[in-house]
């Protein structure tokens, strides 16, 4: 890999995507490629999610990204030992030559997404090359860092977006006309294909094109923060100067933007509603989930709104007291940030009304699936706070201003399946 010193890296601008020798499952050694894949580590939301994936195949990638040993140290050691064993047994094999990887996802509704996977030079925030839009939780970064140190591998790519519609898109389209390295359909109905891009001329075209662009982190803020932490620990040059990413050109392939919901443990819906009395307008909805979400979408057109669930019904919170917002929301941020639903939720409701610490797994969980959030709240006696998604252009504009949104504000997708290509960092 063509690595460079930190001082030289700081002098460059733009995305530097580097070929690598991908680590991939040998399809003859596993039940199927679909059975060894997983959603990203933070999207396994079903109550028996990890066990369900483990039972799909004894070599499912979840055994690496979410090992289940007792202590944190035991978990990372277990993942490292599992990876070493799979390499020794030929379950995972290294591709013969370095390349970039063109990746495609399709679903049954006509959605098509294509991008390129590679090892991206890790840049400093001041360079403005990779734009975060959400804050991170230090314990999660520490957990992912321990796992990457132990395995010496990037086990799943981050999802980054850029807007180009140029040479890289043309190379991707040409590549997608060839026979793929692999093709599989996962349990969620998504069809995945992967190609290796090794031709020097095509690699140069892609690298030169991407060098003119900046990227937005769509999914993977904690892993990007982990990349930066581990890079700072290593003498340079080293493989740790780069991290595994999927780059998607949203000028060609727009992503879907969905909300990430909150599950408040230990806060019954009745108590949550009592606390907001007089501070928000509350409407009780006698409607199924889909209709309640439509009401939420309409309400967000005129201001902040949230949907509470967990007691067998839905309750719309909207029209917050302006004086309450003025007292609780920091005034030193742009108006677009102050008016975000996520900002009002965290700064006003969680901090000042419900007094729930947002960084405590014992008090709050972040869940992508709407129905799963409601079901968990009803089963556990907590409160589900359902959110409406933020538009991508709002996210990008704030990121370009250097303003981060509250953590877990958005969910861009579709996310890449974990397990189709990994990156080993060597010794």
């Amino acid at each position: 890999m063509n690595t460079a010193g930190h001082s030289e890296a700081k002098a460059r601008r733009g995305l530097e995507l580097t070929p690598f020798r991908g680590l991939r499952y040998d399809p003859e050694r596993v039940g199927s490629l679909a059975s060894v894949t997983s959603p990203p580590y933070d999207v396994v939301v079903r109550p028996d999610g990890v066990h369900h994936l483990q039972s799909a195949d004894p070599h499912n990638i979840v055994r690496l990204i979410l090992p289940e040993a007792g202590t944190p140290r035991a978990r990372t050691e277990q993942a490292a030992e599992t990876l070493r064993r799979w390499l020794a047994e030929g379950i995972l094999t290294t591709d013969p030559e370095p390349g970039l990887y063109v990746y495609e996802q399709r679903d049954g509704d006509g959605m098509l997404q294509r991008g390129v996977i590679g090892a991206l030079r890790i840049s400093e925030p001041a360079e403005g090359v990779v734009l975060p839009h959400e804050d991170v939780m230090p314990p999660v970064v520490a957990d992912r860092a321990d796992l990457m140190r132990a395995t010496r591998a990037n086990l799943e790519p981050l999802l980054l977006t850029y807007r180009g519609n140029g040479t890289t898109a043309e190379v991707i389209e040409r590549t997608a006309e060839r026979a793929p390295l692999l093709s599989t359909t996962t349990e969620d109905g998504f069809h995945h294909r992967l190609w290796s891009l090794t031709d020097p001329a095509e690699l140069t075209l892609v690298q030169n094109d991407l060098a003119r662009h900046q990227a937005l982190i769509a999914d993977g803020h904690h892993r990007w923060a982990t990349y930066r932490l581990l890079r700072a620990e290593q003498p340079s040059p080293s493989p740790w100067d780069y991290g595994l990413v999927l780059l998607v050109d949203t000028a060609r392939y727009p992503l879907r933007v969905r909300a990430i919901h909150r599950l408040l443990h230990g806060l019954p819906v009745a108590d949550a509603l009592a606390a907001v009395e007089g501070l928000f307008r509350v409407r009780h909805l006698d409607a199924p989930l889909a209709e309640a979400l439509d009401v939420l979408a309409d309400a967000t057109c005129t201001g902040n709104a949230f949907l509470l669930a967990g007691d067998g019904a839905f309750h719309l919170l909207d029209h917050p007291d302006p004086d309450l917002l003025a007292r609780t929301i920091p005034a030193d941020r742009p108006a677009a940030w102050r008016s975000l639903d996520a900002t009002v939720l965290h700064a006003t409701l969680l901090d000042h009304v419900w007094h729930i610490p947002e960084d405590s797994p014992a008090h709050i969980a972040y869940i992508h699936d709407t129905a799963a959030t409601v079901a968990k709240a009803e089963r556990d006696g907590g409160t589900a706070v359902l959110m409406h998604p933020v538009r991508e252009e709002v996210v990008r504009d704030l990121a370009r201003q250097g303003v981060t949104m509250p953590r877990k504000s958005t969910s861009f997708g579709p996310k890449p399946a974990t397990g189709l290509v990994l990156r080993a960092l060597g010794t």
Side-chain angles (χ1 to χ4, degrees):
M1 180 186 298
N2 178 24
T3 57
H6 290 179
S7 60
E8 180 185 348
K10 289 181 180 178
R12 290 194 295 265
R13 291 295 181 267
L15 300 166
E16 183 184 336
L17 196 66
T18 304
F20 69 103
R21 295 177 64 198
L23 193 62
R24 296 189 295 112
Y25 281 98
D26 181 345
E28 297 184 358
R29 302 297 305 275
V30 296
S32 70
L33 290 175
S35 68
V36 295
T37 64
S38 164
Y41 79 97
D42 58 342
V43 189
V44 181
V45 298
R46 49 190 293 168
D48 62 340
V50 172
H51 297 294
H52 172 77
L53 291 166
Q54 288 178 339
S55 65
D57 191 286
H59 303 108
N60 188 282
I61 192 69
V62 77
R63 297 179 184 272
L64 298 183
I65 63 172
L66 289 173
E68 285 202 301
T71 66
R73 180 173 180 178
R75 288 195 291 272
T76 58
E77 291 177 349
Q78 181 186 78
E81 174 55 33
T82 299
L83 179 56
R84 284 192 293 268
R85 186 173 68 255
W86 289 357
L87 289 169
E89 295 173 353
I91 304 300
L92 289 167
T93 61
T94 305
D95 282 336
E97 58 181 320
L100 301 176
Y101 295 84
V102 171
Y103 175 50
E104 175 190 278
Q105 296 181 84
R106 291 179 183 265
D107 69 5
D109 298 325
M111 189 286 305
L112 170 64
Q113 177 178 290
R114 289 176 179 150
V116 59
I117 295 174
L120 183 69
R121 178 181 66 88
I122 300 164
S123 55
E124 296 299 320
E127 295 181 63
V129 175
V130 175
L131 304 176
H133 69 268
E134 289 183 359
D135 295 329
V136 298
M137 293 175 274
V140 178
V141 175
D143 174 75
R144 292 295 100 184
D146 288 342
L147 184 64
M148 288 189 205
R149 287 191 199 98
T151 58
R152 298 190 63 82
N154 298 153
L155 300 174
E156 47 187 341
L158 284 64
L159 175 59
L160 306 185
T161 73
Y162 71 103
R163 298 189 64 80
N165 206 17
T167 304
T168 300
E170 295 169 0
V171 172
I172 287 174
E173 298 304 312
R174 288 198 301 268
T175 303
E177 296 175 357
R178 307 169 189 164
L181 283 176
L182 63 85
S183 178
T184 189
T185 300
T186 46
E187 184 183 49
D188 57 7
F190 275 85
H191 187 65
H192 308 262
R193 295 199 293 172
L194 190 76
W195 295 262
S196 180
L197 189 63
T198 58
D199 178 80
E202 291 185 321
L203 290 173
T204 298
L205 286 173
V206 170
Q207 290 175 307
N208 289 344
D209 179 46
L210 292 176
R212 301 182 296 109
H213 294 287
Q214 63 181 184
L216 175 73
I217 301 177
D219 184 66
H221 284 81
H222 290 92
R223 283 166 285 166
W224 181 256
T226 301
Y227 287 170
R228 291 186 55 239
L229 173 65
L230 296 178
R231 172 182 179 262
E233 294 176 355
Q234 304 294 325
S236 187
S238 83
W240 299 91
D241 291 339
Y242 295 77
L244 187 64
V245 305
L246 165 65
L247 278 165
V248 173
D249 182 352
T250 54
R252 182 71 65 97
Y253 298 107
L255 270 65
R256 296 171 176 170
V257 186
R258 294 193 171 107
I260 301 177
H261 309 296
R262 276 65 170 161
L263 173 60
L264 309 181
H265 303 297
L267 178 67
V269 174
D271 292 349
L273 293 173
V276 300
E277 186 175 355
L279 302 176
F280 283 72
R281 183 176 71 171
V282 178
R283 284 187 281 165
H284 303 277
L285 306 179
D286 183 15
L289 175 59
E291 292 182 18
L293 291 174
D294 288 340
V295 175
L296 173 64
D298 291 341
T300 57
C301 293
T302 57
N304 302 114
F306 311 93
L307 200 61
L308 303 192
D311 61 350
F314 296 101
H315 312 271
L316 181 73
L317 271 59
D318 64 358
H319 292 196
D321 177 9
D323 290 338
L324 173 68
L325 300 183
R327 293 196 310 270
T328 57
I329 295 178
D332 60 347
R333 301 289 185 92
W337 181 90
R338 297 198 305 272
S339 63
L340 290 170
D341 287 338
T343 298
V344 174
L345 173 62
H346 285 260
T348 303
L349 284 169
L350 293 180
D351 287 354
H352 291 273
V353 177
W354 293 327
H355 306 291
I356 294 176
E358 60 180 322
D359 57 353
S360 170
H363 293 88
I364 185 169
Y366 299 86
I367 305 177
H368 296 73
D369 185 271
T370 308
T373 310
V374 174
K376 284 175 177 284
E378 292 181 345
R379 184 177 59 252
D380 301 340
T383 295
V385 182
L386 306 183
M387 311 279 287
H388 188 68
V390 183
R391 300 191 313 277
E392 181 181 357
E393 56 266 29
V394 173
V395 176
R396 192 177 296 274
D397 287 346
L398 285 172
R400 284 176 172 157
Q401 296 177 58
V403 178
T404 55
M405 299 167 64
R407 61 195 60 169
K408 300 293 183 182
S409 294
T410 57
S411 175
F412 286 88
K415 306 178 192 304
T418 298
L420 295 181
V421 61
L422 291 65
R423 174 176 174 254
L425 277 75
T427 57

